[in-house]
Structures are given as C-alpha cells and as structure tokens.
Amino acid sequence: MRPLHRRTALSALALTLATAAGGAVVATAGERPGRPPADRTLLDEVRARGELRVCTTGDYRPFTHLDRATGEYSGIDVDMAGDLAESLGAEVEFTPTTWAELLDDLTSGACDIAMGGVSVTLDRAQEAYFSVPYLVDGKAPIARCEDTDRFQTLEDIDQPGVRVIVNPGGTNERFVNENIERATVIRHPENTTIFEEIVAGRADVMITDGSETRYQETLHPELCAINPDDPFTFAEKAYLLPRGDEEFRAYVDQWLHLALNDGTYDGYAARWQNN
C-alpha cells in the first residue's frame, strides 16, 4: 500500500474532527470537493515516472504504423506523442492495442492516452475524455481507379455482387453494419494489408476515413480515393484520455492548441502525407 501523504493525512484528520464536532464538513484550503487528490493526476505521475504510455493500434497510416520487422512506430500521431512526452520531460512508451480493445486498454490503466487517428464517438465519450479535435474527417470510399465512377454514392456501393471489405472493431465496421445491407461484406482482420485485397481483386471497395483514402492512394497507384472532400459522414479526430483527470486533459488540450497553431502539427502531417 502506498504511504499516506502528509497533506492527505491532515485532510483526513480535519474531516474526523469536523464530523466529531457535529459541524458541517468544509474543504480545507487548496482542496476541491468531489475531485481526486491532486497527487493522483497523470500530469504529475507522467513527469514523476519519466514515461508517457501511449496506446496505439499501429495499423492506421498516416497516423500510426508499426514496422513489424523493426518494432518501430511511425506516423503523424507517433510524432505528436513524442512531442507531448518531451513537453512533460518524459520518454514515450507505446502500448500495442487493437480498435476493439482500445477503449478497454485506456480505461483499465494500461496507458495514459490513446493516439493514432482515433475518431470521436459518443460511445467512447461515455467512458473517457476526448481532447480538443485536431482534424475533421468522414467516411469515404476507396476502390480500384477503373471503378471510381461505379462507386460514387452509398447506394452505388450497397448493391448485390459488390464486395465491401472492412477492418473489424472500429468506426469503419460500425458504418458498414449500419449502412450496407445488400452488398457482400468481407471482414479482414489486418488493416495494414486490407488495401492489397482491393488491388488484387479479392474485394471491390472499402469505406474508411477520407484522410486514410488520400494516403493509401499515394501508396497504391492502382487505388483512387473517391470524393474524400465530400464524405458520407462528419467526424472528428482527437486524443482519448482517462475520464475524471481534469488536470491532465487541460494540459493536453493546451499543448494541442499550441501545436495546431505554431506549425508543429502541420509539419508532422506534411512529412507523412507526402511520403
């Protein structure tokens, strides 16, 4: 058991005396009722341990990519994670996760923050905090370039004989489950190889975030992003934080606000989107 801090011990004593006297409990100076003690905030814990633990899937370019041969992560949000850690005087430590396990890993304390193209959803917001958003996005299709005229609308895609491929566990699968009824859905567990399935002709189209379709068409000349500036949905990307830690969220929001306005984020984005 962790030793009781002196300030916590004094607070407990004050509470006992106030209760014994039959008076109302009054917060002592520097404390705010209904909030965790300040020494429990990740803002202090990360600096004390010298390590920022970041959950990331490693399968979502240009935001996060794991090179399985070297074990190294790269991408926009990988660079941003390093920048956040540096601002706290800490090193970054990446914790592998999947889209299906991302929220559970964060809420269980396996990491301090989740980064890597995480879409803002109300389900996630019920369990965790989001930082201020850093990107507006939405679901759009990507297909072989000769098929772009064939898949202009959601109605065009949701037709018998069309093979829609999707990675499980995240917002792509949710969108497909809610909107695709007549087309054949192929669930492909490996997001890093899913686009090769379209190139090889084993699938016809994928619906994912417009930002990813733009990036993937630079990697695969056979594929074309279809109307990524006019997506089927509106969505935002942000960083996922533990619920209840107001100090840590406020710090991340301020750091991100500065990074979005001083060229830090744009510099990382340009680096990876042009690769």
Side-chain angles (χ1 to χ4, degrees), residues 225-243:
I226 302 173
N227 303 324
D229 295 322
D230 186 23
F232 297 143
T233 62
F234 168 84
E236 294 176 311
K237 296 196 179 300
Y239 301 133
L240 198 62
L241 306 159
R243 189 174 71 175

Side-chain angles (χ1 to χ4, degrees), residues 79-90:
D79 286 343
M80 287 291 283
D83 191 87
L84 174 59
E86 183 179 3
S87 77
L88 291 164

Side-chain angles (χ1 to χ4, degrees), residues 100-117:
E101 297 169 344
L102 178 70
L103 188 59
D104 286 343
D105 283 344
L106 178 78
T107 56
S108 71
C111 55
D112 307 315
I113 185 171
M115 305 175 73

Side-chain angles (χ1 to χ4, degrees), residues 3-177:
L4 200 64
H5 288 268
R6 182 172 182 272
R7 183 174 60 185
T8 307
L10 290 175
S11 299
L13 177 60
L15 175 61
T16 302
L17 291 175
T19 304
V25 177
V26 179
T28 58
E31 292 187 329
R32 287 161 287 185
R35 302 193 59 179
D39 63 332
R40 286 173 52 189
T41 176
L42 283 171
L43 182 58
D44 296 327
E45 289 183 11
V46 169
R47 289 184 293 175
R49 82 167 86 102
E51 181 181 83
L52 176 70
R53 303 170 303 163
V54 179
C55 279
T56 193
T57 62
D59 67 350
Y60 187 20
R61 290 173 167 172
F63 302 101
T64 176
H65 173 68
L66 172 63
D67 186 327
R68 299 191 182 279
T70 65
E72 297 293 322
Y73 287 88
S74 61
I76 299 171
D77 283 341
V78 172
D79 286 343
M80 287 291 283
D83 191 87
L84 174 59
E86 183 179 3
S87 77
L88 291 164
E91 299 291 330
V92 65
E93 177 69 26
F94 292 105
T95 300
T97 189
T98 65
W99 291 109
E101 297 169 344
L102 178 70
L103 188 59
D104 286 343
D105 283 344
L106 178 78
T107 56
S108 71
C111 55
D112 307 315
I113 185 171
M115 305 175 73
V118 181
S119 296
V120 176
T121 69
L122 292 179
D123 286 348
R124 289 169 176 162
Q126 290 177 19
E127 304 295 332
Y129 283 161
F130 278 104
S131 71
V132 294
Y134 63 88
L135 183 69
V136 173
D137 213 344
K139 299 301 179 189
I142 183 170
R144 291 181 295 276
C145 291
E146 62 264 29
D147 290 334
T148 54
D149 290 340
R150 181 183 172 195
F151 298 130
Q152 288 291 306
T153 68
L154 191 56
E155 184 179 2
D156 292 338
I157 295 169
D158 190 22
Q159 294 294 330
V162 175
R163 297 165 299 172
V164 178
I165 195 165
V166 65
N167 57 313
T171 58
N172 289 345
E173 185 177 42
R174 172 178 291 186
F175 181 85
V176 166
N177 289 344

